[in-house]
Amino acid sequence: MTTTATQRPPATAPAPGKPAPRRPRRRDGLAGWGFFAPFGVLFAVFMLWPIGHGLYLSFTDQSLTGSGGDLVGFANYLEAFAEAEMWQSIGNTLWFTLLSTVPLVLIALVMALLVEQGLPGKWLWRLAFFMPYLLASTVVSLIWIWLFNPQLGAINSVLTGIGLPAQPWLQDPSLSMVSIVIATIWWTVGFNFLLYIAAIQGIPDQHYEAASLDGAGKWRQLFSITLPQLAPTTVVVVILQVLASLKVFDQIYQMMNQVVTPSTQSAIVYIFDSGFTGYRFGYASAVSYIFFAVVLLVSLVQFRITARKGS
Amino acid sequence: MRREDFGDRVWESGTFDGDVYSIALDSHPFILFYNTDHAAAAGLMEGDRMRQPTSPDDFLDMVTAMKEASGGSGLSYGYVNDGAQMWRLWYTLYLQQGGVMELPIGGEARIDDEPAVEAFRFIQQLVDPSRGVPNADIQTALAEFISGDSGMLLSGVWELPSLQAAGLPIDAMPIPNLYGTPAAYADSHAFVLPHQNDVDEDARREVYRFVAEILKDSFDWAGAGHVPAYLPVTEDPAYADLLPQANYAAVAEIINYDPPAWFTGSGSDFQSLFAENLQPVLLAGADPQAGIDRFRAALDELLGKPNPV
């Protein structure tokens, strides 16, 4: 910050023409810190402190009720490593991430390409595809609980209407995770869609013009111009999507009505249950850090792959 | 407020080692609602009340008759993905058979197999398609009952206002005693004054008075279906005219809470564990004994963990 300050145009300097090597720099620094302070305080209180305190708690037997709090070394970590339920919840989270990320990227891309083909009423399509993203997770969960309802739900009505068997969407352990993924796609695909729309609009028209002069058809243009130009956006979308999917909690917690099932318990649900309904803050903190390590690992692998692609 | 102003079970649940730690406002039991029109059509009414079943099989026959009368379901019971709903009915039937459940910290959970399995066999028959809906959640059950497509509803007293608002011809009763031992399941809302490091005697006295006033005026709260814990309210003649509340208020004398342990209670891991291990019994016809064994194993694991409270 301060190094760039000296290179700024004199508009920020107090007295133009005067060299004043030190003073304006310091004032500039103060102003900078002033602007940074509101964010900095929030960041410290709600990010840095919880991160540090959580790490400390993970080495204690702190209870939600206020009792405990003694240092127990690595006991929480050892217990977590030996707990099959924790590994299963992490496995479920990775499975959800895989199941949700692929369609969330592909469907968003296809929708963006279709809308940008110059459909009539383009604004309406954009609005319709993006609107679900604006809903609160509670609203989305309620909508889909009703849609998935085995007796009264619209989805089963449609299925039986066309002669297919009705399904217990959220109740059948082999279907419940897929059902949650479907609801999640409907809810969040709009954000990726928006990123793709912006990227498509950023591709210069001259490229298409030149290509059509060279005799390239629509498909040729799609594969030789549009998709390659969208590659950097795809990298961003995939990174954001994987991180968002790994954090899955709301819709599982709400759509399963807090009931933990072996096929839908995500890592965050496990952490929440350990800490808030099981009262074991210390243990829950330890699991958080184990999960953090898993997320870090996934991210590193991902950066590795995208970096190789980029080069 | 005196000890004798409260029922035994409600009062005792607020004490520990003889000291009072909480004052209950109410108890809200799990009960049986029924549609009086359908019950009359099914020939189940005796006077202005539904008759009591004489045995578990007789109750099943009553439900079957209700199904014919309503044209929809005989009985609505929503339990899917809902540990509380499942636990409340099962525990009622388990206790009616004299079943005992104990959760000693550091020890092993006691669940009596015979009544545990029998209760599940009975509920399986209740949700059989010949009587009810085999895979309903609570919203489905409520929707079915409120739209008049069902003869009975198993749920908590707190549903009463929405059932009344729907203009249904309903009445309610405690869950019939099918197995001999009078028992019902309930929770209570209670007032607790948290520990104070620095006690202001005057403020504390005012708080006690405030709580006492709320309990004395809890007749209005009874309108929402809950059974007031303060006996002078339910013994007042005005309460006898409050229907259907007065028809199930006696249940307060036979209520049971969750077995005491740090992980039990409404919205707890305990009820969620119950659902996790035993939902397949009702939903997919899985073996009740195997489900009970898994539930017991999960409880033993929790009992073996350090008590975080």
Side-chain angles (χ1 to χ4, degrees):
Chain A
M1 270 273 146
T2 42
T3 51
T4 54
T6 50
Q7 292 160 6
R8 275 188 207 153
T12 52
K18 240 171 127 187
R22 295 187 75 86
R23 271 193 45 169
R25 209 197 243 190
R26 224 180 53 201
R27 263 208 212 153
D28 246 23
L30 272 182
W33 284 109
F35 281 117
F36 170 73
F39 169 78
V41 168
L42 290 176
F43 185 74
V45 171
F46 292 109
M47 203 73 191
L48 294 181
W49 189 76
I51 288 176
H53 189 62
L55 186 61
Y56 165 73
L57 283 181
S58 73
F59 294 105
T60 69
D61 63 353
Q62 180 65 48
S63 155
L64 178 63
T65 60
S67 64
D70 299 329
L71 285 170
V72 293
F74 283 92
N76 289 327
Y77 287 92
L78 293 176
E79 185 185 339
F81 280 127
E83 177 65 61
E85 200 180 344
M86 186 204 73
W87 292 113
Q88 187 182 44
S89 71
I90 290 181
N92 284 340
T93 304
L94 296 176
W95 178 230
F96 173 87
T97 303
L98 189 71
L99 278 182
S100 61
T101 301
V102 174
L104 273 170
V105 174
L106 289 182
I107 292 174
L109 176 62
V110 170
M111 286 190 334
L113 289 172
L114 287 177
V115 169
E116 287 301 311
Q117 285 303 307
L119 289 175
K122 204 152 102 176
W123 65 270
L124 180 68
W125 294 100
R126 274 192 223 161
L127 182 70
F129 288 153
F130 185 67
M131 208 139 72
Y133 185 72
L134 302 174
L135 296 176
S137 69
T138 42
V139 178
V140 173
S141 299
L142 273 182
I143 290 174
W144 283 89
I145 285 174
W146 278 111
L147 286 174
F148 281 136
N149 186 296
Q151 281 83 41
L152 313 169
I155 294 178
N156 275 350
S157 311
V158 172
L159 282 184
T160 49
I162 56 173
L164 293 171
Q167 301 292 338
W169 292 98
L170 288 168
Q171 291 76 36
D172 182 340
S174 62
L175 275 178
S176 42
M177 190 58 116
V178 175
S179 308
I180 291 168
V181 167
I182 292 172
T184 307
I185 291 171
W186 178 81
W187 177 31
T188 59
V189 76
F191 182 70
N192 296 348
F193 165 76
L194 205 66
L195 291 180
Y196 273 123
I197 289 271
I200 290 172
Q201 288 173 349
I203 301 174
D205 283 343
Q206 296 92 311
H207 292 194
Y208 294 106
E209 208 179 312
S212 60
L213 283 178
D214 287 342
K218 280 277 173 198
W219 285 106
R220 185 77 208 163
Q221 288 180 19
L222 172 69
F223 284 104
S224 300
I225 299 173
T226 314
L227 292 184
Q229 295 268 8
L230 290 179
T233 308
T234 303
V235 170
V236 171
V237 167
V238 169
I239 289 176
L240 290 177
Q241 189 53 58
V242 166
L243 290 178
S245 288
L246 286 171
K247 289 193 297 189
V248 63
F249 172 77
D250 304 30
Q251 58 272 48
I252 293 182
Y253 184 74
Q254 287 155 182
M255 290 176 71
M256 298 307 289
N257 197 16
Q258 302 169 37
V259 172
V260 172
T261 72
S263 55
T264 57
Q265 186 182 31
S266 77
I268 310 269
V269 171
Y270 180 67
I271 292 168
F272 178 87
D273 281 342
S274 306
F276 288 99
T277 54
Y279 312 119
R280 303 186 63 204
F281 255 33
Y283 178 73
S285 302
V287 178
S288 306
Y289 274 88
I290 294 172
F291 183 57
F292 172 68
V294 172
V295 173
L296 199 65
L297 198 72
V298 171
S299 307
L300 285 177
V301 170
Q302 202 179 10
F303 281 127
R304 209 49 191 288
I305 294 173
T306 50
R308 204 184 300 154
K309 259 193 196 153
S311 64
Chain B
M1 287 286 114
R2 294 161 306 164
R3 163 69 187 82
E4 52 269 34
D5 292 335
F6 295 85
D8 290 343
R9 297 192 180 191
V10 174
W11 179 265
E12 277 156 21
S13 74
T15 63
F16 184 74
D17 283 348
D19 292 327
V20 178
Y21 281 82
S22 73
I23 292 287
L25 169 65
D26 65 16
S27 57
H28 37 276
F30 200 72
I31 60 166
L32 179 68
F33 295 96
Y34 58 94
N35 183 311
T36 48
D37 285 356
H38 293 328
L44 300 176
M45 294 299 274
E46 274 176 2
D48 53 0
R49 311 273 288 274
M50 189 168 74
R51 76 172 175 84
Q52 289 287 334
T54 53
S55 69
D57 285 338
D58 184 40
F59 186 64
L60 292 175
D61 290 342
M62 288 170 70
V63 177
T64 311
M66 276 289 207
K67 183 178 167 70
E68 280 162 26
S70 76
S73 284
L75 177 139
S76 296
Y77 172 53
Y79 67 91
V80 169
N81 284 2
D82 195 331
Q85 284 282 112
M86 255 179 276
W87 161 252
R88 286 164 180 158
L89 178 60
W90 175 84
Y91 196 46
T92 303
L93 299 173
Y94 176 78
L95 293 166
Q96 286 187 356
Q97 301 170 73
V100 177
M101 188 181 273
E102 284 166 1
L103 302 170
I105 300 298
E108 285 185 357
R110 172 177 171 188
I111 305 174
D112 301 336
D113 283 331
E114 205 177 307
V117 170
E118 167 58 25
F120 271 114
R121 295 237 182 271
F122 185 74
I123 302 173
Q124 279 176 333
Q125 289 172 281
L126 278 185
V127 299
D128 186 86
S130 66
R131 297 187 188 84
V133 176
N135 55 354
D137 59 11
I138 181 66
Q139 283 90 356
T140 312
L142 284 174
E144 187 183 48
F145 188 73
I146 284 178
S147 57
D149 289 337
S150 168
M152 311 183 200
L153 170 75
L154 282 168
S155 194
V157 293
W158 51 89
E159 301 294 359
L160 183 62
S162 48
L163 301 182
Q164 287 176 322
L168 284 175
I170 54 153
D171 204 341
M173 61 199 285
I175 292 179
N177 181 1
L178 299 174
Y179 292 98
T181 310
Y185 174 82
D187 265 321
S188 288
H189 295 112
F191 292 100
V192 177
L193 188 60
H195 173 76
Q196 315 272 308
N197 284 332
D198 188 13
V199 178
D200 177 341
E201 296 284 348
D202 290 336
R204 188 163 65 179
R205 202 169 308 118
E206 288 304 312
V207 170
Y208 289 162
R209 277 185 43 184
F210 174 74
V211 170
E213 288 304 318
I214 289 185
L215 261 69
K216 284 176 183 164
D217 284 341
S218 58
F219 185 77
D220 285 346
W221 185 232
H226 303 68
V227 183
Y230 188 57
L231 292 179
V233 173
T234 52
E235 285 161 359
D236 191 278
Y239 189 83
D241 295 334
L242 186 67
L243 293 174
Q245 283 89 332
N247 288 343
Y248 59 73
V251 89
E253 290 158 28
I254 55 164
I255 55 169
N256 295 268
Y257 300 98
D258 278 12
W262 61 265
F263 50 79
T264 59
S266 199
S268 63
D269 274 357
F270 175 73
Q271 295 183 358
S272 172
L273 268 182
F274 187 77
E276 181 184 337
N277 290 292
L278 291 154
Q279 175 158 300
V281 174
L282 300 182
L283 199 56
D287 175 27
Q289 185 63 57
I292 297 285
D293 290 344
R294 276 200 310 278
F295 181 52
R296 185 187 287 119
L299 291 176
D300 285 346
E301 198 187 320
L302 269 178
L303 290 171
K305 284 187 181 166
N307 178 354
V309 185

